Amino acid sequence: MLSTLLRAGKLKANSAQVLAKTLKRGISVKSILHGSPEAKKVGEAEIQQHSAIVARGKYVHGFETHKVKPDQVDAYKKAAEEYYTGIIRDPELNVKLSGSWETLVGEQDTFFHILEYENYRGVDKAAQLIKDSEHQTRYRRMLPHLNSRVLQLNQEFAFMPTAPPHNHGGVFELRTYQLNPGTLLEWESAWYVILERRQPSIGRGNCACSFRRRGIEARRKFISPIGAWFSQVGRLHQVHHMWQFPDLTTRKETRQKAWEVDGWAETVSKTAQLVKFMDAYILTPLPWSPLK
């Protein structure tokens, strides 16, 4: 099939390489060609969504971003602590808080909260239970302190599951990449081609992924990877990575050392071509954050 498409002039060279790797992984051709006549011949039963291919599994992470009025930061922190600690202590909701952070470098007076749900049913259930409850009352107490708020639902990449709660200290870096539409598989593939098969699998729980990427493993020697996610609802075609450093000096040294790792420069070069723009935020955890 690949050779037929090449002869027909349907694929550029770089797209053909991605497609060849994708075919080896059992991924539908249609997910690359986005509905071309050739892709439709593959068969509807074989078609898989990108998210089913690159995601870790059932978990859904809600990224809540709050931009706070500068003169009301302290009041906001108090209200936010009451709300977020309240919902994670409620066993009926079955919601976990991965972490809560304040921006140190980046858009000032901006706060990030990452909530973990078991699946989309968990999101629906929590939203219904919170409605008209004391949790909703606490949430409303935050609103007068806000300039804006955004909720985005994300899934984890299988290659870097979200870290469990810990207290390592230091600072966190949240890197957000706005991808060109339709390039999520190419982004993930750029990591896949430098992977090594090793045991045990990375991450927590029952992650089926038994692969570790060379670039990520190299960074593990210097810092703590916190997680990698891609958006599903809200601002689309976004990828997020989070890392933890002892301090900003270590961050600088780590990024310099990463360029010495085999395959790292190639990975950065490939993924940079898929990105419209990117942001890097340096964050500090709030006192109640499980990750800090």
Side-chain angles (χ1 to χ4, degrees), residues 12 17 41 67 82 153 171 186 189 211 243 275 279:
K12 295 181 181 178
Q17 291 175 359
K41 296 178 183 178
K67 294 185 179 181
E82 291 178 354
L153 298 182
V171 297
E186 290 183 69
S189 180
F211 302 107
W243 309 87
V275 177
D279 295 287

Side-chain angles (χ1 to χ4, degrees), residues 136-197:
Q136 184 71 10
T137 302
R138 294 191 185 110
Y139 186 84
R140 292 194 183 106
R141 290 173 188 157
M142 291 192 295
L143 299 183
H145 311 305
L146 302 181
N147 281 320
S148 67
R149 54 195 170 116
V150 175
L151 171 61
Q152 182 186 59
L153 298 182
N154 298 276
Q155 279 195 283
E156 299 166 300
F157 279 105
F159 64 74
M160 199 163 83
T162 308
H166 61 241
N167 188 354
H168 293 172
V171 297
F172 293 74
E173 180 176 14
L174 176 64
R175 300 180 68 85
T176 295
Y177 303 84
Q178 184 67 47
L179 303 184
N180 294 314
T183 60
L184 178 62
L185 272 179
E186 290 183 69
W187 172 280
E188 197 269 350
S189 180
W191 292 89
Y192 188 90
V193 295
I194 63 167
L195 67 91
E196 299 180 299
R197 186 182 296 272

Side-chain angles (χ1 to χ4, degrees), residues 153-273:
L153 298 182
N154 298 276
Q155 279 195 283
E156 299 166 300
F157 279 105
F159 64 74
M160 199 163 83
T162 308
H166 61 241
N167 188 354
H168 293 172
V171 297
F172 293 74
E173 180 176 14
L174 176 64
R175 300 180 68 85
T176 295
Y177 303 84
Q178 184 67 47
L179 303 184
N180 294 314
T183 60
L184 178 62
L185 272 179
E186 290 183 69
W187 172 280
E188 197 269 350
S189 180
W191 292 89
Y192 188 90
V193 295
I194 63 167
L195 67 91
E196 299 180 299
R197 186 182 296 272
R198 296 179 185 173
Q199 294 294 339
S201 61
I202 65 171
R204 63 176 187 201
N206 298 317
C207 176
C209 176
S210 61
F211 302 107
R212 297 193 289 186
R213 274 130 180 87
R214 210 173 280 137
I216 289 177
E217 286 306 303
R219 284 191 161 202
R220 278 183 187 275
K221 298 176 183 177
F222 315 122
I223 59 173
S224 296
I226 299 302
W229 307 266
F230 60 95
S231 62
Q232 293 223 295
V233 183
R235 176 63 63 87
L236 298 179
H237 312 299
Q238 279 194 339
V239 171
H240 308 282
H241 290 176
M242 185 178 280
W243 309 87
Q244 187 172 10
F245 303 87
D247 48 49
L248 288 176
T249 300
T250 304
R251 173 189 177 274
K252 177 179 179 293
E253 294 170 350
T254 298
R255 294 186 62 80
Q256 290 174 338
K257 291 176 181 177
W259 289 102
E260 301 171 8
V261 175
D262 248 2
W264 185 254
E266 182 183 1
T267 300
V268 172
S269 176
K270 286 181 178 179
T271 54
Q273 298 173 40

Side-chain angles (χ1 to χ4, degrees), residues 84-85 88 95-101 112-115 163-169 172 226 244 285-292:
Y84 288 106
T85 58
I88 63 176
V95 175
K96 295 179 181 178
L97 178 68
S98 295
S100 292
W101 296 270
F112 296 92
H113 309 276
I114 301 179
L115 293 168
H166 61 241
N167 188 354
H168 293 172
F172 293 74
I226 299 302
Q244 187 172 10
L286 294 169
W288 66 85
S289 176
L291 281 169
K292 54 189 170 185

